Amino acid sequence: MKIQTFVSEILLYVFLTSPGVTFPTDIAPFARPCPQLDQTELTETNAEHSYAECQSPESDKFEVWNVPEKAPKREQDGPKVKPRLKIRDFYECHTGNSDVTGCDSNPDRPSCPDGSRPITRQVLALDGEFIRQFSVCPGDPLPEDIPEESYIDEPRITLEAFRSFPIKGSTVRSTPTTFSLRNGYSHFWASQETQLFDSNLSGAEIKIKAIPIQWNWNYGDGTTRNLSFPGEPMPHHTLRDETPTSHSYGETGTFKVGVTTLYRGEFSVDGGAWQAIPGQAAVASVPIEIDVWRTEKELIAND
């Protein structure tokens, strides 16, 4: 019933405000609705009010005066955390030194699940004050007791990004060059080259190093060996001389010899200090072929 009354009032208003309808000057036209009092009438039983209590709108257009009230803004839950910390990652022994491949500072420090050495992560205040230090392996999360919003936004190179750079494998060399003798000592060595890449991440100039740290050999006869050094040329080597990187074949045949080089990564932002990248990249070389022959002894009688 109340809805019908409200609709009737609207129809009456439209009629009385139509062109051609005039009123005596001593009779006021039908007052326009008042949203606040209309709401009271719709929610309270037997509620009545006078439209004279409402202020006249500034426009005759319905869409102008019938504007719903704006809801008050809700405050964000909790205070916003201001970034106040930064991260510095480094290798315990040799960050920034490409010539060092081993680390003897803590032999009991366990390796990461992927076989790489963990890096050391420091949490520092923006003024450089030391907060915390711990070991990090690839994929390890940040400490749970420090909100992620506490760290400033800095460009970082992930392990996936490091592996995406065109890192070249080591070059394999041997003495003798393409052949050997059964039970002789073939001398092998690989190249050792630190590779440098440039990147532009978030407008920052970033340099990336790929530093070889391990050479995993596969001699093609089922024998493998992992070394922390690549070997070196030995121009005066003979098949009788065993070397730290030589291999002896017990059977004849043709064998493919290759090496997979493991690279650790470092990065520098805008010329700043070098920082470590957790994990390592494994890059296989182009193998070489070795033909292994056998020797035969013959007795020659003199006449």
Side-chain angles (χ1 to χ4, degrees):
M1 187 66 180
K2 291 182 180 180
I3 296 176
Q4 293 177 350
T5 303
F6 181 74
V7 172
S8 299
E9 289 179 352
I10 293 178
L11 293 175
L12 180 58
Y13 167 77
V14 173
F15 170 75
L16 295 177
T17 57
S18 300
V21 179
T22 59
F23 297 91
T25 56
D26 58 337
I27 299 177
F30 182 77
R32 297 176 179 84
C34 177
Q36 294 83 2
L37 297 179
D38 285 343
Q39 183 63 32
T40 302
E41 187 173 271
L42 290 173
T43 57
E44 296 184 11
T45 305
N46 299 326
E48 296 181 357
H49 64 263
S50 172
Y51 286 107
E53 301 176 26
C54 300
Q55 297 180 356
S56 299
E58 298 178 357
S59 173
D60 290 334
K61 295 183 178 180
F62 177 81
E63 62 269 16
V64 174
W65 53 261
N66 190 43
V67 177
E69 293 184 0
K70 294 182 179 180
K73 291 184 177 180
R74 295 181 59 186
E75 295 184 0
Q76 296 180 351
D77 297 334
K80 187 176 181 180
V81 178
K82 185 178 180 180
R84 57 183 180 82
L85 301 175
K86 59 184 178 181
I87 292 174
R88 291 294 176 266
D89 292 338
F90 59 93
Y91 289 96
E92 193 171 15
C93 298
H94 42 239
T95 300
N97 186 352
S98 304
D99 298 329
V100 179
T101 58
C103 181
D104 299 326
S105 64
N106 188 355
D108 298 327
R109 195 177 192 184
S111 298
C112 295
D114 67 344
S116 64
R117 299 288 299 175
I119 67 171
T120 299
R121 172 164 293 174
Q122 287 186 345
V123 178
L124 307 172
L126 296 183
D127 60 0
E129 180 185 358
F130 176 83
I131 304 296
R132 186 181 302 179
Q133 178 173 303
F134 48 92
S135 297
V136 173
C137 286
D140 284 355
L142 293 169
E144 296 182 355
D145 59 331
I146 302 179
E148 189 173 348
E149 298 79 11
S150 299
Y151 300 95
I152 62 175
D153 187 16
E154 295 180 291
R156 308 198 70 78
I157 301 298
T158 64
L159 177 59
E160 291 73 18
F162 174 60
R163 289 174 174 172
S164 69
F165 287 96
I167 304 173
K168 298 179 181 179
S170 299
T171 301
V172 179
R173 297 284 187 265
S174 69
T175 303
T177 304
T178 58
F179 73 94
S180 183
L181 295 178
R182 188 179 62 175
N183 298 324
Y185 292 103
S186 299
H187 175 64
F188 297 100
W189 76 96
S191 61
Q192 179 182 10
E193 179 185 358
T194 295
Q195 301 172 47
L196 189 64
F197 305 95
D198 293 322
S199 177
N200 191 326
L201 182 64
S202 301
E205 295 295 329
I206 301 179
K207 293 187 177 299
I208 298 96
K209 285 181 183 178
I211 305 168
I213 57 173
Q214 184 170 306
W215 290 260
N216 298 340
W217 290 91
N218 187 329
Y219 298 104
D221 61 348
T223 305
T224 59
R225 183 163 51 164
N226 301 336
L227 300 174
S228 61
F229 53 92
E232 59 183 354
M234 290 187 175
H236 303 295
H237 171 268
T238 70
L239 291 173
R240 294 187 297 271
D241 302 326
E242 183 178 7
T243 70
T245 56
S246 64
H247 179 67
S248 178
Y249 289 92
E251 301 293 336
T252 60
T254 300
F255 303 93
K256 288 187 176 182
V257 181
V259 65
T260 297
T261 308
L262 304 184
Y263 292 84
R264 63 180 175 88
E266 297 181 5
F267 72 98
S268 172
V269 180
D270 291 332
W274 288 97
Q275 296 192 62
I277 302 172
Q280 58 195 8
V283 185
S285 68
V286 177
I288 62 173
E289 287 190 350
I290 297 293
D291 290 324
V292 179
W293 305 334
R294 66 180 181 181
T295 58
E296 294 184 355
K297 295 181 178 179
E298 295 184 0
L299 295 176
I300 300 176
N302 293 326
D303 292 338

